[in-house]
């Protein structure tokens, strides 16, 4: 009897080859397909090389900017940095109540001149790269001891325009930026104060008594026409309460520049002229059943406060007064204005190291 010989059959061989071919196909697909290992490796390599090239380009650009004098722009400044801007100004003169300027309400005109020696500090950086700088010193009238007088109805009506016009005339330079007066929103931005949510005196009254309607007396301010007129039953006037005040926290940026000097006054408020205080180009109104005060915001004795220039009662009695506070300009520097980096000791950290502009 013959023994059965052991061996692989043709069918088994064919099946084995087919399995090997399938496995080889899977392996090749894994290595070379769209999501294959080799493809992924190539993509990773390309991304790495691209990122490296981008980084090198950025470093080269930065190095070029640093090595080429004045190629860093003001957008690189930080809030609080000192900046020298006066040398970019041409001395100008602003005279109140002249050249069709709005009436201050005060009996006489006043003359103000550009202060080309004061330093400036960064107070705000805008999303578009523009930088706002505020003067370190108050601007006073040409006698050096008197603030800007505002009085009565016209002083209230025109306060914002007068302050902005004065600052624009004295401190704008078209090649660098435009100037305006500081306003209450600038201080609020530094302090984080919000009259709707922050705590302040009389908050409950003013938030719960948003408006007062007068049917007699005045004249009261008609915000729709920005005029004063008497109130009657047939033609009443509704006043919005926009009054608020608060003490400025000493830990805010620029406190030493914007607030500290205002705390030096220790006398009684019986005079008209307070050159250590300054106006904010923002108006407010506080209204009661007994009458309304029409105010201009200011920085006084470490506080954001208000001084009323005109008061009106429903019985027809009125009271007017004049106040003279300093002016504080803000300049918006265009984002493309360049810094002079030739002196590496100038980093803006203090007055002696103030940045200079190209």
């Amino acid at each position: 009897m013959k023994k059965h010989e052991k061996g692989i059959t043709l069918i088994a061989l064919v099946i084995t080859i087919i399995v090997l071919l399938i496995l080889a196909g899977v392996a090749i697909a894994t290595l070379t397909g769209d999501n294959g290992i080799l493809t992924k490796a190539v993509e990773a390599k390309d991304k790495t090389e691209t990122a490296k090239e981008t980084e090198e380009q950025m470093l080269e650009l930065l190095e070029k900017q640093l090595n080429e004098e004045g190629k860093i722009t003001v957008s690189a400044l930080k809030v609080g940095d000192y900046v020298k801007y006066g040398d970019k100004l041409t001395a100008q003169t602003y005279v109140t109540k002249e050249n069709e300027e709005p009436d201050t309400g005060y009996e006489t005109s006043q003359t103000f001149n550009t202060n080309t020696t004061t330093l400036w500090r960064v107070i705000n950086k805008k999303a578009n790269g523009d930088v706002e700088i505020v003067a370190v010193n108050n601007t006073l009238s040409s006698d050096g001891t008197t603030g800007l007088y505002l009085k009565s109805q016209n002083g209230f009506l025109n306060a914002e325009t007068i302050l902005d016009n004065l600052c624009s005339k004295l401190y704008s330079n078209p090649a660098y930026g435009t100037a305006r007066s500081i306003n209450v929103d600038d201080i609020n931005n530094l302090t984080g104060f919000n009259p709707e949510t922050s705590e302040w005196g009389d908050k409950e009254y003013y938030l719960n008594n948003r408006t007062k309607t007068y049917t007699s007396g005045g004249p009261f301010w008609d915000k729709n026409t920005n005029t004063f007129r008497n109130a009657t039953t047939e033609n009443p006037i509704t006043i919005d309460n926009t009054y608020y005040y608060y003490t400025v926290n000493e830990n805010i940026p620029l406190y030493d520049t914007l607030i500290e000097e205002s705390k030096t006054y220790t006398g009684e408020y019986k005079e008209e002229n307070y050159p250590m205080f300054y106006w904010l180009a923002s108006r407010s109104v506080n209204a009661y059943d007994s009458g309304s005060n029409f105010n201009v915001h200011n920085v006084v004795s470490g506080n954001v406060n208000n001084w009323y220039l005109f008061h009106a009662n429903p019985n027809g009695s009125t009271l007017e007064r004049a106040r003279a506070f300093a002016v504080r300009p803000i300049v918006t520097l265009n984002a493309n204005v360049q810094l002079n980096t030739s002196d590496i000791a100038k980093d803006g950290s203090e007055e002696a190291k103030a940045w200079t502009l190209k």
Side-chain angles (χ1 to χ4, degrees), residues 308-354:
Y308 80 82
L309 299 178
F310 188 75
H311 174 83
N313 293 326
N315 64 10
S317 63
T318 61
L319 178 64
E320 64 178 26
R321 64 179 181 178
R323 283 292 183 270
F325 298 142
V327 179
R328 190 67 75 105
I330 282 181
V331 170
T332 301
L333 294 174
N334 301 325
N336 60 359
V337 172
Q338 296 176 353
L339 297 175
N340 187 337
T341 58
S342 59
D343 186 348
I344 60 174
K346 300 293 181 66
D347 60 5
S349 60
E350 56 187 71
E351 291 187 16
K353 297 181 179 180

Side-chain angles (χ1 to χ4, degrees), residues 292-310:
S292 291
N293 289 334
F294 302 96
N295 324 285
V296 179
H297 277 294
N298 44 62
V299 170
V300 170
S301 299
N303 304 311
V304 168
N305 217 317
N306 311 256
W307 285 82
Y308 80 82
L309 299 178
F310 188 75

Side-chain angles (χ1 to χ4, degrees), residues 139-157:
T139 292
L140 300 174
S141 68
S142 57
D143 65 13
T145 61
T146 307
L148 168 70
Y149 272 105
L150 298 174
K151 183 179 180 180
S152 194
Q153 295 179 31
N154 283 337
F156 171 80
L157 293 175

Side-chain angles (χ1 to χ4, degrees), residues 237-297:
I237 294 181
T238 297
I239 299 295
D240 295 325
N241 270 311
T242 56
Y243 177 87
Y244 63 85
Y245 59 93
Y246 64 93
T247 299
V248 180
N249 189 307
E250 295 185 5
N251 295 323
I252 70 161
L254 281 73
Y255 183 88
D256 55 339
T257 290
L258 295 176
I259 309 299
E260 205 158 46
E261 183 185 4
S262 74
K263 298 172 70 175
T264 61
Y265 183 73
T266 57
E268 297 183 20
Y269 300 118
K270 293 182 178 180
E271 304 172 6
E272 289 185 350
N273 181 41
Y274 302 91
M276 72 294 298
F277 304 155
Y278 60 88
W279 293 113
L280 299 172
S282 307
R283 297 177 293 175
S284 71
V285 179
N286 53 333
Y288 302 88
D289 292 336
S290 58
S292 291
N293 289 334
F294 302 96
N295 324 285
V296 179
H297 277 294

